[in-house]
Amino acid sequence: LFVLADSVSEALSQYLIAAATYRRDTNSLTLATLQEIHRTPNDWNGSESIGASLNILMVIAATPDDDQDERISRIMSSQGKAARNVEYGAGILQVLRAFFRTRQAQQFSNEMRWGY
C-alpha cells in the first residue's frame, strides 16, 4: 500500500505514515526502515528505496505527540543491529561513525607519480 501511495503522491504516503504512527509504538517500523537504508545498494538502483525510507523516517520524526523526542533519539541512535554481521547499531549516528572509521583506516595516496 505504501509503495503504491508513494508512487502516486508523496503527500498521500506521508499522510498514511502519520496516521499509522500517531500515538503508536514505532520501534519496529523505525528499526526496519534503518536496516533497509543499510541494505540498499549505493547506486542508482537504491535511490527509490532510500527516498521512500527517508520519507518514512522524516514523517515519524515530525509527527507531533508526547513521544516525538524519543522517536527522534531512536532514529539517530538506535541500538538494534544494522545487519546480521555488524558490530554497530542501526541508528544514523552509529552507521555514520562506522563508515567514517572504515574510511579512515583505508590508505589512499593522493599523490600521482608519473614515470617519464
Side-chain angles (χ1 to χ4, degrees):
L1 178 64
F2 174 74
V3 173
L4 179 63
D6 190 47
S7 65
V8 172
S9 168
E10 186 175 331
L12 176 61
S13 65
Q14 290 174 345
Y15 178 78
L16 289 173
I17 297 166
T21 60
Y22 183 70
R23 295 198 185 275
R24 293 197 176 114
D25 182 27
T26 60
N27 290 337
S28 60
L29 178 62
T30 301
L31 182 59
T33 305
L34 290 168
Q35 289 171 341
E36 179 64 27
I37 290 172
H38 183 75
R39 280 191 305 262
T40 302
N42 293 329
D43 56 3
W44 65 272
N45 293 330
S47 63
E48 186 175 332
S49 179
I50 291 289
S53 298
L54 292 176
N55 193 16
I56 291 170
L57 292 176
M58 181 175 57
V59 173
I60 288 173
T63 304
D65 65 3
D66 298 336
D67 299 327
Q68 185 177 17
D69 293 337
E70 181 183 325
R71 286 193 311 269
I72 293 171
S73 296
R74 193 176 314 115
I75 289 169
M76 297 305 287
S77 60
S78 175
Q79 296 302 316
K81 293 292 184 186
R84 222 180 325 165
N85 297 324
V86 297
E87 298 176 3
Y88 49 86
I92 293 173
L93 294 177
Q94 282 90 354
V95 171
L96 288 175
R97 186 179 304 125
F99 176 74
F100 181 72
R101 286 182 181 156
T102 58
R103 295 290 291 175
Q104 276 186 328
Q106 295 175 354
Q107 299 296 324
F108 293 112
S109 174
N110 292 337
E111 300 176 15
M112 298 189 87
R113 296 193 175 111
W114 299 91
Y116 292 104

